[in-house]
Every structure is written in structure tokens, then in C-alpha cells.
Amino acid sequence: MLLNGYEEKVEALTAELSLREKISMIHGAGLFRTGGVERLGIPPIKMSDGPMGVRFEFHNDNWGRVGHLDDGVTYCPGNSAIAATWNRKLAEKAGTVLGEEARGRGKDMILAPGINIMRTPLCGRNFEYFSEDPYLISELAVPLVTGIESADVSACVKHFALNNQETERNWVNVEIEERALREIYLPGFEAVVKRAKTKAVMGAYNLFREQHCCENKELLGGILRDEWGFDGVIVSDWGGVHNTNAAAESPLDIEMSIFNNFDDYCMAEPLIEAVEAGTIDEAYIDRKVKNILRFMLRIKMIDIVSEGADDDKKVYAVRNPERKKGSYNTAAHREIVLDTARESIVLLKNEGNRLPLVPETLHKLLVIGDNAAKIHSCGGGSAEIDALYE
């Protein structure tokens, strides 16, 4: 029997899942993957940090690096560099590199781009962000996300929202006037949802109007889902969920964290207990699972098929053979990021026409300061990659 359209397929497969199987899909079963349902062919979602490139591999249950050396990737431009190009076409090309390399490394979701406003220079994630200007962010994040997702991999636009400082990053409560919220802090996110049709969004650590962003019904429901019509996957920041009931009843779909006690996550065993006790309606879990299955169909992770008559019909997922394979650390990719790096350089002043340097008359060039010897491809830790070329 042929199942037509995403929604019919999603409904049919969700109906086959037990409560425990559904719960396994909505929280981390590894530091960078969700749980799958092998019985029905549903794979885990495999994720990796960005945006400077696909982060090197970790063990499933600890932060030790997996001991192989074949995961070197192209050192992609930071979003600040992309912003400095003012070039939409280059932004899309840079996104294509990141997407293709994520697929080449077997990922389904790259945790990028970060598009928060650079409100304070003390924010530890500014190196991942674009700008202090919401229009510039919107105009370059849209093609970047489009480029990423052209490779049958999902972007995960972050951190939604108002995550702009390091002090009390996980606990600061952001109170903000509606006009500033709408004119400064939300336009970039609205643009990538409505124009780039991003398939995933990551919640933020902080609180917004007294409630954590990853459990926030106003932010994730009223604005993201209802106003903007987002029906993709919402992923928590790692450790951004704090309350089982609040998370379950919110529009959040997947809880991730930095610890390996996966069964103890708020949306794991505690949620099973809450549903069985009748304090949480299982319909909330069904909505999350349907968003995840729809996501998998959209990036061609799976197709959903059925066989047999109605009274004995079997519905299950199969691998989609049409999904792109990807590639990483190629000469073509390195050329694109080099073009981006060149165009990101902004010359503010050129006293005495010292530039460009003339090789015929230049015998020695002294490079001094911390950046003379510093390796940059480790980012701020969360964006560290194994770059063959720095």
C-alpha cells in the first residue's frame, strides 16, 4: 500500500511506536545523537558542532576524542568573516561547503549557524556570530542556511533567543521591551525560518521573561511555531532543559545535554513515569515524534513505507537511496573558503601605500603577537575541528 505525502507517512509510523520507543527519539542517547528505533528502521539523528567546520568525533558517552585521524575537515570561515564579505553568493557557497562536509562525515544536523546579536564584546560565542546588525545577519544567514541544507543535511540555527552574554549565561533572565525584541533580536531568526525554511532551531540557555528558553511556550510556541509557522525540529542547547513537565508541554522536540546519564534526562525516564502516572498527556510526545519524523523525511534520512492489507498492514522506515553522499576536505571546498577569507578582509587605512606587499622588494616580514603562533581552529572549544590546513 502506497503512503502519500509526508503527513500521512508521519501519522502512520507514529501509530506504530510504543511510548518507550517514542521517548527514545526525543532525547540524547549519546552526546551527539538521539535514540533510534531499530525495530521500525528509524535511525538516530547524528549531530555535530559547527560553524567553523564539522567538529572531530567523540565517543558516544564521553568527551574523549575517538582515536582516528581521518576526520580532518575544511576550516570554514567564521560567521563574522562571512558578514564582513557583504556577499550573499559567497555566504551560500560557504554554507554548501559546511553542509557537504557534514554529510561526508555522516551527520544529519550541523549545529550552525549562530546568529545571535553581538550585544557585548564579552560574549564568548561572538566568534560564531555574524554582527550587531539584524539586517546584515538576515541577509547572509538566509543564503548560508540554504547552502547548508542543499546537501540533504539540516542546519540548526541558534541560540533562540537573546543569548548574548557570558555572565550567568545559563541563568540570566532577559527582560526586554517588545519593540527591541522584534526589531533587533528576532529578525534574523524570523528570516531563516520564513525565507530559508530552516529545518531545525536550537533553544538558548538563558531565561526569557522568567522561563528558560528551551521550555518557553511564548518563545517556542507563540512566536516560532504559531506566528512564523515553523514545523521543523526544535533542539535544546546542551543542558538547557531543567524541568520535565515544562519541557514536555513546550514545543521543544529533542533534549540534549553534556552528561552521559541519558536515561535520567528530563525527557527520558522521568517523562515515561509522568505519562504513566497521568500527569503528562502522551499527545505532547506524539507531536514531538511527528516533527522528528517529518524532519527525517525532509533531509532524506528515511522514507516511510507500508506493506500488507489494512488488517495486517506493516509500516516502517527505510533508508532513502536518493540522499546525497557529501564529501569533505576537498580542493574545491578549500578554494571556496579561501575566496571567502580574502573577501572578508576590510582595509580601513593604507598609510604610505604600504599595501599590497611587493614580493620583489620584500625580504623579511615580521609577524608578532599572540596571533602569530596561535591555532585558531579550536574556536572557543565548542567549535574545535581537526583542520588539515590552518
Side-chain angles (χ1 to χ4, degrees):
M1 178 180 174
L2 184 65
L3 294 171
N4 296 311
Y6 285 174
E7 298 311 314
E8 183 181 349
K9 292 179 178 183
V10 163
E11 291 284 346
L13 189 53
T14 301
E16 298 293 317
L17 291 160
S18 69
L19 173 62
R20 186 165 291 275
E21 287 171 333
K22 287 185 279 192
I23 294 291
S24 73
M25 294 173 60
I26 66 173
H27 69 84
L31 295 176
F32 283 97
R33 72 168 179 84
T34 62
V37 181
E38 187 174 354
R39 178 180 73 88
L40 295 173
I42 302 172
I45 297 173
K46 296 178 181 177
M47 313 171 187
S48 179
D49 272 318
M52 323 289 259
V54 188
R55 196 174 184 184
F56 51 66
E57 300 292 339
F58 293 98
H59 292 283
N60 190 61
D61 61 355
N62 70 78
W63 291 91
R65 182 176 175 180
V66 173
H68 57 71
L69 300 175
D70 64 348
D71 56 357
V73 295
T74 304
Y75 184 12
C76 294
N79 290 339
S80 301
I82 294 173
T85 70
W86 297 72
N87 188 320
R88 297 178 183 87
K89 291 182 179 179
L90 266 185
E92 184 168 355
K93 287 183 179 180
T96 301
V97 170
L98 188 56
E100 289 180 355
E101 301 225 343
R103 276 300 305 130
R105 284 274 303 280
K107 307 304 178 187
D108 306 303
M109 180 186 295
I110 188 76
L111 306 176
I115 65 170
N116 292 94
I117 292 289
M118 291 184 183
R119 183 179 59 78
T120 166
L122 301 180
C123 178
R125 302 298 283 273
N126 276 349
F127 73 97
E128 292 190 32
Y129 298 156
F130 282 89
S131 170
E132 71 280 10
D133 181 79
Y135 180 73
L136 180 60
I137 292 170
S138 301
E139 290 303 303
L140 294 178
V142 166
L144 181 68
V145 169
T146 300
I148 291 171
E149 297 193 341
S150 68
D152 291 342
V153 67
S154 171
C156 187
V157 183
K158 61 186 185 182
H159 309 86
F160 189 64
L162 300 151
N163 198 228
N164 309 97
Q165 69 181 52
E166 212 58 41
T167 304
E168 292 293 317
R169 182 181 188 87
N170 294 55
W171 297 98
V172 62
N173 177 48
V174 179
E175 295 288 350
I176 186 172
E177 293 182 357
E178 194 68 16
R179 181 178 177 184
L181 175 70
R182 298 290 181 162
E183 292 186 4
I184 299 173
Y185 294 94
L186 293 187
F189 289 101
E190 184 174 7
V192 294
V193 168
K194 290 184 174 180
R195 292 163 52 193
K197 308 296 184 184
T198 185
K199 296 173 180 63
V201 171
M202 182 190 293
Y205 280 135
N206 53 286
L207 290 82
F208 169 61
R209 295 173 178 166
E210 304 291 344
Q211 187 176 32
H212 277 284
C213 288
C214 290
E215 304 163 1
N216 197 295
K217 293 180 181 178
E218 179 184 359
L219 192 62
L220 303 183
I223 296 174
L224 182 58
R225 294 282 195 210
D226 298 339
E227 285 188 33
W228 299 349
F230 180 70
D231 64 351
V233 166
I234 304 176
V235 184
S236 79
D237 205 342
W238 269 233
V241 174
H242 303 274
N243 182 279
T244 292
N245 284 30
E249 294 179 354
S250 80
L252 181 78
D253 297 309
I254 297 173
E255 177 191 2
M256 301 299 293
S257 189
I258 61 174
F259 301 111
N260 62 3
N261 58 333
F262 307 118
D263 290 339
D264 297 329
Y265 286 10
C266 291
M267 296 210 308
E269 287 296 327
L271 183 52
I272 292 177
E273 294 172 6
V275 173
E276 291 177 342
T279 58
I280 292 292
D281 190 332
E282 192 172 343
Y284 287 113
I285 289 87
D286 289 347
R287 279 199 286 269
K288 301 176 193 302
V289 169
K290 290 173 185 178
N291 289 334
I292 291 168
L293 292 175
R294 189 185 305 111
F295 167 89
M296 290 181 171
L297 288 168
R298 283 174 172 165
I299 64 169
K300 300 180 182 177
M301 284 180 68
I302 61 171
D303 198 0
I304 298 173
V305 299
S306 66
E307 62 181 29
D310 286 346
D311 56 349
D312 189 33
K313 183 171 66 175
K314 295 180 180 179
V315 179
Y316 54 93
V318 295
R319 176 178 167 272
N320 188 333
E322 296 181 2
R323 193 180 192 191
K324 295 176 182 176
K325 306 297 183 186
S327 59
Y328 60 98
N329 209 355
T330 67
H333 288 173
R334 291 195 293 271
E335 191 65 31
I336 290 171
V337 300
L338 181 58
D339 287 344
T340 309
R342 285 171 172 153
E343 195 155 333
S344 73
I345 297 170
V346 180
L347 180 62
L348 299 179
K349 197 172 186 179
N350 194 15
E351 288 184 343
N353 293 316
R354 292 191 177 106
L355 295 176
L357 301 174
V358 181
E360 291 76 15
T361 59
L362 183 69
H363 303 293
K364 290 183 178 180
L365 179 65
L366 177 63
V367 183
I368 61 175
D370 187 46
N371 285 337
K374 186 180 182 68
I375 293 177
H376 290 81
S377 55
C378 58
S382 60
E384 58 195 343
I385 62 170
D386 181 15
L388 183 59
Y389 299 104
E390 170 94 8

